[in-house]
Amino acid sequence: MKRPLEVLAVGFVLGELFRLAGFRGFFLVVLCCPLLFFLWKRRAGQRRAILTMLTGALLGALCLHVAALPGREEQKLERLTGAFAEYRGRIDAIEARGGGVRVRSGALYLSIAEESGVPFAVGQTIVASGTLQEIKAPTNPGEFDYRSYCRARGVTHRMQVRTYRAEGRADPLGEGLRVLRIRAAERLQQNCPAEVSAYLGALLLGDKQGLSEDFYARYRRNGLAHLLAISGLHTGFLGLALYRLLRRMGAGLWASALSAALFLGFYALLTGADTGVLRSGLMLGLGFLALCLGRSYDLRSAASLALFLLLLHSPLQLFQCGFQLSFLAVFAIGGPGQALVRRYAAKRKLLAALLQSLTVFLVTLPVIAYWFFSLPPYGILLNLALIPMTGFMLFLGLLTLAAASLVPPLAALPALFLECGLALQNALCALAECLPFHRLLIGRPRLWQLLLYSLFLCLCFGLLLDKVPRRGKVSEKQFRRALTFGAAFAAALSLLPLRSQVPRIWLLDIGQGDAIVIEQGSRCITIDGGSTSRPDCGKRILEPFLMSRALGTVDAAFLTHADLDHTNGLSYLASKGSGILVKRVILNPAAETDAHYAKLMAALRENPETELCFMGAGDVYGNFHCLWPSREALPEEVNEQSLILLFTANGKRCLFTGDAGQPSEEKLLEWLAAPEQAAERAALTDIDLLKVGHHGSRGASSDTFLALLSPDCALISCGRGNSYGHPHAEAMERLHRHAGQVHSTANEGALSVELHTAGRNKALKEGERK
C-alpha cells in the first residue's frame, strides 16, 4: 500500500458521508460489500488498503455522530432558548461586526452594541442578559446556511445582549494577539489609502470588514475571492520565505525549520486559525520535518494527514465550502495536475502552470457550482496571472505594515506600489467582465449531477494519463482521443441546469413581506419582493434564490404597490449592483402620479436596462390578467392600490392580491356582479391557488370573497413572530372554512407549487424536498 494516510483520509470522508446519508448510506455500504469481498480475495496489499479504509470510515462515521449529538452546553442553552436569560461564560474571541461587537463564548455568539462602551478582553468572564435564540437553518433555496457555518465552529445559539459586565483577568496570549491585530489594522488605516488598507487587512490579518461590497463582489465574480483571504497560498509563501531567509543568514537546518514552524503557529493564532492556514501550516511543518530527517516529502500524504487531523478535531468542517476548496485544490495539484505536467509539460513552465490551473479549476468546479451557482471561465487565466503577483503584493504588504509601525512616513512608497497593483487587478477583472460568457450561470446542481461529473472527469484524466504504445494503430489513438473528448463533453453536459417544464410558483420565506417567483424553463416572472424584517432580502434571499435556479434574467417584475415590505428587495435586483437583469417592472396606475411612489420610481429609473410599465384593470400581460385597480377610480389608500392579478397556466387559475383588503374585494365583487362580466366571474370561481391578501390580516379575505374563490390551496406570506400578529385568527378561521389547504411561510419556510395539467396541486415545504 503506497499511501496509507491517503486511504485512511478517503475512508474517513466516506464514513462521514455514509453517516450523513443515514439509512441510504447503510444501503450503499451493503451494495459495496461484494466488491470489497472480491478485492479482499485478490492480494494482501488490497486487504491492508481495505482494512485501513474501513478503519477510517468507522472513525469518520463515529466522529460525525458524536459531533451531531447535543453537548452539555448546547443542552443548557436549549433550555433557555426563546426566554430572557442571564448567561455566564468565558470570552473566547471578540470580533467587530458592523456597528457593534460579536463575542464568542463557548457555543454562543453574543451581539453587543458598540455604544455600550464597557471594556472587556479575551479570557475574562462575561455576564450578559438578553433573549437567547437558536441559530436556525435556512428556509429558502440558495440561501446561505449560516447554521451549518456556525456549527462547524462549535456555535449553536446567539443572544442580542441588553446588559453585560466583564469579570476576572484577561488571557495574556489571546488578548495580546487581539490587541496586536487591532493595532496593526489601525496603522494600515492611518498610513494607507482606504482601499489599500482594506485589502491589506484581508490579505495579512484575515479581516474583511473594511472591504467594500463592490470590491469583494468583483473578485468573487471572477473566481479570485481566495486572493482576499488568509489562504494556504499566503501562509506557505510566508513560511518558506522565512525559512529561506534564515538559511541564507547562516542559521542551521533545525533552527530555521523550527523558527518557521513556530512563526506559522503564531500567525495562525493571530489571523483566527482558518482552515486554509491550518492546512498549509500542518503540511509545511511536515515538509520541514521531512527535510530535517532527510526523508522524501509526499504532498498527497501530507495533505491527507492534515485532512484527517482537522476532521478528527471538527468533523462538520467537511461540509463547508472553504474546507472543500482548500483540500480539493491541493489534491488536484498533487494528483492529476502533477501527472499531467510530467506527461505533457515537463520542461515548459508556462504550459505546466496553465495545466495546473486548469486541473484545479476542473476538480473544484463542482464545489464552486454548488456553493456559488455560477462559473467564471476566465478565472483560469486571471488566476494564472494574479497568483504570482499576489506573492509580490504580500511582500509589499508586510513591508508597508513594518514601515507603518516603525517609520510611518516610509509606508507611503510601498503603499503606492500596492495601489498600482490593485488598479491593475481591478482593470483585469473589468476586462474579463466585458468579454462574452464571462459568467456561466448553472444554478445549484443536484448531488447525482456532481457524482456524474466526477465520474466523467476521472475517466477523462485516466484516458489522458494512460500510456499509449508508440507503435499503436492510428485508429486506436483516434478512438482514445474521441473517447477523451466524449468524456469531457459528457462531464460538461452533466452540470447543465435542470429546469422545470411546467410553471412552478415559489412563495419565498422573506420574513414580514411578499416575494413570489414564477418559473417555467428559463423564463421568470416575479410578483413583489420586499421585507421589513429582512431589509437585505434582495441580496441575501432573492438574488441567491434566482441564481440557484439558474435564472439570471427576470422577464417581468410586478410590483403590486409602494410599501417597503413589497419593494425593497426588487429595488436591489433592478439596481446595477445586482447580478440579475430585470427587463421590465410593471406597476399599478397610481405609480405614475402618486407621491408615495416617488422614491421607488427614482430608484427604478437609475438602471436604463429596466423598462417601466403600468397596468390597470382589464390589461393583460402574457398569462396575467389585471382585475384591480381601475385606472378611472384609483383608491387613495396605498394598500388598496395593490394589483390583483389572475394568472392562468395549464388550465390552472391562481390569484395574487398583494395587500388588497376588504374594500378592494367588495369593489371587485361589485364589478363582477354585472352581467357583462360573467366570464371574469366564472374565471374566479373555484380557483386553484390564492395568495392570501395582506399577509393574512383580519382586514382582508372576507367571507364573501373566499366563498366565490373557494381555492384549493391558500398561501400566506408573513414573518415568524411578527409584531402585527399576522395571520390573524379571524382570517385563518375564514380560510380554513373555504380553502382546501392553508400554508404559511412563517410555519413552513419557502413554499412551492407546480401547476400540472391534471390533478390537484399540493403546496410543499422546501425542507421536505431536501
Side-chain angles (χ1 to χ4, degrees), residues 497-504 518-525 546 549-553 555:
L498 302 175
R499 302 188 184 277
S500 177
Q501 297 307 309
V502 297
R504 189 171 191 177
I518 304 174
E519 62 166 323
Q520 182 176 11
S522 60
R523 286 186 57 80
C524 170
I525 305 287
L546 292 171
R549 306 294 300 175
L551 299 171
T553 300
D555 296 281

Coordinates of all heavy atoms in Angstrom, one line a residue, residues 497-504 518-525 546 549-553 555:
P497 N -28.1 23.1 -16.1 CA -29.3 23.3 -15.2 C -30.5 22.4 -15.6 O -30.8 22.3 -16.8 CB -29.6 24.8 -15.2 CG -28.9 25.2 -16.5 CD -27.8 24.4 -16.8
L498 N -31.2 21.9 -14.6 CA -32.4 21.1 -14.8 C -33.6 22.1 -14.6 O -33.8 22.5 -13.4 CB -32.5 19.9 -13.9 CG -31.3 18.9 -14.0 CD1 -31.4 17.9 -12.9 CD2 -31.3 18.3 -15.3
R499 N -34.3 22.4 -15.6 CA -35.3 23.4 -15.5 C -36.7 22.8 -15.4 O -36.9 21.7 -16.0 CB -35.3 24.4 -16.7 CG -33.9 25.1 -16.8 CD -34.0 26.2 -17.9 NE -32.7 26.8 -18.1 CZ -32.2 27.8 -17.3 NH1 -32.9 28.2 -16.3 NH2 -31.0 28.3 -17.6
S500 N -37.6 23.4 -14.7 CA -39.0 23.0 -14.6 C -39.7 23.2 -15.9 O -39.7 24.3 -16.4 CB -39.7 23.7 -13.5 OG -41.0 23.3 -13.4
Q501 N -40.3 22.2 -16.5 CA -41.0 22.3 -17.8 C -42.5 22.7 -17.6 O -43.2 23.1 -18.5 CB -40.9 21.0 -18.5 CG -39.5 20.6 -18.9 CD -38.8 21.7 -19.6 OE1 -39.3 22.3 -20.6 NE2 -37.6 22.1 -19.2
V502 N -43.0 22.7 -16.3 CA -44.3 23.2 -16.0 C -44.2 24.4 -15.1 O -43.2 24.5 -14.4 CB -45.2 22.1 -15.3 CG1 -45.3 20.9 -16.2 CG2 -44.5 21.7 -14.0
P503 N -45.1 25.3 -15.2 CA -45.0 26.5 -14.3 C -44.9 26.1 -12.8 O -45.6 25.3 -12.4 CB -46.3 27.3 -14.6 CG -46.7 26.8 -15.9 CD -46.3 25.4 -16.0
R504 N -43.9 26.8 -12.2 CA -43.7 26.5 -10.8 C -43.8 27.8 -10.0 O -43.0 28.7 -10.3 CB -42.4 25.8 -10.6 CG -42.2 25.3 -9.1 CD -41.0 24.4 -9.1 NE -40.9 23.7 -7.8 CZ -39.9 22.8 -7.5 NH1 -39.0 22.5 -8.4 NH2 -39.9 22.2 -6.3
I518 N -42.4 33.0 -10.3 CA -43.0 32.0 -11.1 C -42.0 31.7 -12.2 O -41.5 32.5 -13.0 CB -44.3 32.5 -11.8 CG1 -45.2 33.0 -10.7 CG2 -44.9 31.5 -12.6 CD1 -46.5 33.7 -11.2
E519 N -41.6 30.4 -12.3 CA -40.6 30.0 -13.3 C -41.1 28.9 -14.2 O -41.9 28.0 -13.7 CB -39.3 29.5 -12.6 CG -39.5 28.3 -11.7 CD -38.2 27.6 -11.3 OE1 -37.3 27.5 -12.1 OE2 -38.1 27.1 -10.1
Q520 N -40.7 28.9 -15.4 CA -41.0 27.8 -16.3 C -39.9 27.8 -17.4 O -39.8 28.8 -18.1 CB -42.4 28.0 -17.0 CG -42.7 26.8 -18.0 CD -44.0 26.9 -18.6 OE1 -44.7 27.9 -18.5 NE2 -44.5 25.8 -19.2
G521 N -39.1 26.8 -17.4 CA -37.9 26.8 -18.2 C -37.0 27.9 -17.8 O -36.7 28.0 -16.6
S522 N -36.5 28.7 -18.8 CA -35.6 29.8 -18.4 C -36.4 31.1 -18.2 O -35.7 32.1 -17.9 CB -34.6 29.9 -19.6 OG -35.3 30.2 -20.8
R523 N -37.7 31.1 -18.3 CA -38.5 32.3 -18.1 C -38.8 32.5 -16.6 O -39.0 31.5 -15.9 CB -39.8 32.3 -18.9 CG -39.6 32.5 -20.4 CD -40.9 32.6 -21.1 NE -41.8 33.7 -20.5 CZ -41.6 35.0 -20.8 NH1 -40.7 35.4 -21.6 NH2 -42.5 35.8 -20.3
C524 N -38.8 33.7 -16.2 CA -39.0 34.0 -14.8 C -39.9 35.3 -14.6 O -39.6 36.3 -15.2 CB -37.7 34.2 -14.1 SG -37.8 34.8 -12.4
I525 N -40.9 35.2 -13.8 CA -41.8 36.3 -13.5 C -41.8 36.5 -12.0 O -41.9 35.5 -11.3 CB -43.2 36.1 -14.0 CG1 -43.2 35.8 -15.5 CG2 -44.1 37.4 -13.7 CD1 -42.9 37.0 -16.4
L546 N -32.7 33.1 -7.1 CA -32.7 33.1 -8.6 C -31.5 32.5 -9.2 O -31.6 31.8 -10.2 CB -32.9 34.6 -9.1 CG -34.3 35.2 -8.7 CD1 -34.2 36.7 -9.1 CD2 -35.4 34.5 -9.5
R549 N -31.5 28.8 -9.0 CA -32.4 28.2 -10.0 C -31.9 28.5 -11.4 O -32.7 28.2 -12.4 CB -33.8 28.7 -9.8 CG -34.4 28.6 -8.4 CD -34.6 27.1 -8.0 NE -35.5 26.4 -8.9 CZ -35.8 25.2 -8.8 NH1 -35.2 24.4 -7.9 NH2 -36.7 24.6 -9.6
A550 N -30.7 29.0 -11.6 CA -30.1 29.4 -12.9 C -31.0 30.4 -13.7 O -31.2 30.3 -14.9 CB -29.9 28.1 -13.7
L551 N -31.6 31.3 -12.9 CA -32.5 32.3 -13.5 C -31.7 33.7 -13.4 O -31.8 34.4 -12.4 CB -33.8 32.4 -12.8 CG -34.6 31.1 -12.8 CD1 -35.8 31.2 -11.9 CD2 -35.1 30.8 -14.2
G552 N -31.0 34.0 -14.4 CA -30.2 35.2 -14.4 C -31.0 36.4 -14.9 O -30.5 37.6 -14.8
T553 N -32.2 36.2 -15.5 CA -33.0 37.3 -16.0 C -34.4 37.2 -15.5 O -35.0 36.1 -15.6 CB -33.0 37.3 -17.6 OG1 -31.6 37.4 -18.0 CG2 -33.8 38.4 -18.2
D555 N -37.9 38.3 -16.5 CA -38.5 38.8 -17.7 C -39.5 40.0 -17.4 O -39.7 40.9 -18.1 CB -39.3 37.7 -18.5 CG -38.3 36.7 -19.0 OD1 -37.7 36.9 -20.0 OD2 -38.2 35.6 -18.3

